[in-house]
Amino acid sequence: MAENELQKLIKGIFSHIKDKYGYTDEQALIYLQGYQDCAEENQKSLEKRDKMLRDTVAELAEAKRLLKSATNVLNMFIPCDEDYNCSECIKQRQNCDYDDSFRWRYADEALALIGEDGEQNDD
């Protein structure tokens, strides 16, 4: 908006406030200052909320990255052995060959949560 148009708009609002409420110039200026203060406060609030939202999205992206990495590590690097607690394994000692690897039973859910396709096979 050009500065002349903005000045015309402000002048029109100022005139409207004076006419509508019967305010003096000083009262109309105070009224407009209240609106300006409110608008500035709202702008600061929006900026703060936007920053919080950006930070939250960044943290969520990092959490998703870490969850994906953890899921990969759990499924690739934990060997099955007799002493291992199989309650977290998808196989849970059913047809378990100890040459197999541990497969985290929540991996599919975790990967689905982060938007990855991670269907596990029950080898």
Side-chain angles (χ1 to χ4, degrees), residues 52-113:
M52 288 173 52
L53 182 58
R54 283 190 308 274
D55 291 348
T56 300
V57 168
E59 289 172 3
L60 180 58
E62 180 65 5
K64 288 171 73 173
R65 185 189 69 77
L66 293 171
L67 183 57
K68 182 177 180 181
S69 176
T71 301
N72 289 338
V73 168
L74 285 172
N75 286 337
M76 296 170 90
F77 297 111
I78 298 177
C80 286
D81 63 32
E82 292 177 17
D83 297 328
Y84 189 75
N85 180 353
C86 293
S87 65
E88 293 296 316
C89 184
I90 199 168
K91 297 176 185 182
Q92 296 186 354
R93 292 191 190 254
Q94 297 173 3
N95 301 320
C96 188
D97 180 353
Y98 291 108
D99 291 332
D100 287 341
S101 293
F102 172 87
R103 292 190 182 252
W104 186 38
R105 70 180 181 160
Y106 299 112
D108 287 344
E109 292 176 50
L111 292 173
L113 182 67

